[in-house]
Amino acid sequence: MKKQYVSNSTESVPMFKNGLLEALSKVHFSVPLILYIPVISYVCYYGLTHTDASVTVFLLSALGGLFFWTLTEYVLHRFVFHFVPKSKWGLRLHFIFHGVHHDYPNDALRLVLPPSVSVPLALGFFYLFRAMIPVNYLYGFFAGFMTGYLFYDISHYALHHLNFKNSFWKRLKKHHMKHHYQNADKGYGVSSAIWDRVFGSDFPQKEEHQ
């Protein structure tokens, strides 16, 4: 993605003439917490009380789901959000889904996924997992996957708006800010840089010591 313009304004640039579409494109960072903590809690309850999964199996399944989320996050960010079509409509869709975030990285209302996007994605992944994963592992896996998504969404907001003293968060913020302000073709991991290292899209290590 070639960066053509960057504004550090926390205000939202209008994207739609239609008022409803414009409203659906904005979301307060607390909305994913309000929406998905009850969902994750219910999935945990259901998985532990309505299947034969033991607590150990459930927790291991959740760790698997969490790990799979980190890969999903990387793949979506690198190959979907950063795919730049050539058509006029394709470019417009690209701007709506991710280009606007690179032009206005501190837009306070476009740093977490709106429910109009996250809910269909969550449902789609659940039914995909249900078709592929035995029921005793399904709910733990989905709970871990959604916990990973929630951590991603909230940490993404925090990386843009908070200053950290903790070394882990400082490294994570530095990694993501380089993606925005140095090279948008590297550093696709937001909640973790692990897959950037695995797939060679991390920033050169020598830069970390400069």
Side-chain angles (χ1 to χ4, degrees):
M1 177 190 296
K2 292 183 179 180
K3 183 173 61 179
Q4 296 180 335
Y5 171 78
V6 176
S7 169
N8 284 323
S9 172
T10 59
E11 309 242 337
S12 296
V13 60
M15 289 203 304
F16 301 98
K17 293 181 180 179
N18 182 283
L20 177 60
L21 290 177
E22 180 67 15
L24 290 174
S25 75
K26 300 176 183 179
V27 59
H28 190 268
F29 77 90
S30 64
V31 170
L33 293 170
I34 296 169
L35 188 60
Y36 290 110
I37 286 179
V39 171
I40 294 168
S41 299
Y42 178 76
V43 169
C44 291
Y45 164 77
Y46 191 92
L48 288 168
T49 60
H50 288 69
T51 72
D52 294 328
S54 66
V55 173
T56 300
V57 167
F58 186 90
L59 291 176
L60 289 174
S61 300
L63 286 175
L66 182 62
F67 181 75
F68 186 70
W69 163 258
T70 64
L71 178 60
T72 301
E73 173 194 312
Y74 178 86
V75 170
L76 285 175
H77 190 188
R78 180 173 183 175
F79 298 108
V80 179
F81 294 163
H82 276 260
F83 174 73
V84 182
K86 294 182 180 180
S87 68
K88 182 178 179 181
W89 275 104
L91 288 171
R92 173 63 176 162
L93 286 174
H94 168 71
F95 178 78
I96 291 171
F97 278 101
H98 198 62
V100 66
H101 176 53
H102 275 265
D103 284 359
Y104 298 87
N106 293 322
D107 182 337
L109 294 179
R110 292 197 176 106
L111 279 171
V112 298
L113 288 178
S116 56
V117 175
S118 67
V119 170
L121 279 175
L123 288 172
F125 275 114
F126 176 77
Y127 285 109
L128 175 65
F129 297 154
R130 192 174 74 167
M132 300 175 65
I133 300 174
V135 68
N136 284 349
Y137 306 99
L138 170 64
Y139 293 95
F141 189 91
F142 188 66
F145 183 83
M146 291 305 297
T147 299
Y149 156 70
L150 195 58
F151 179 78
Y152 152 79
D153 238 1
I154 301 306
S155 63
H156 188 213
Y157 181 90
L159 293 177
H160 279 275
H161 285 284
L162 299 180
N163 292 315
F164 303 100
K165 295 182 179 180
N166 178 274
S167 60
F168 168 81
W169 287 103
K170 286 175 71 174
R171 286 195 302 271
L172 208 58
K173 177 163 183 164
K174 183 178 181 180
H175 183 78
H176 191 56
M177 292 303 104
K178 282 185 174 183
H179 174 72
H180 275 282
Y181 296 102
Q182 180 173 308
N183 188 350
D185 294 324
K186 291 186 178 294
Y188 297 102
V190 177
S191 60
S192 169
I194 183 173
W195 295 111
D196 283 307
R197 300 188 185 106
V198 171
F199 293 116
S201 56
D202 201 1
F203 298 99
Q205 291 302 304
K206 63 179 181 181
E207 294 181 2
E208 299 298 322
H209 304 291
Q210 293 179 353

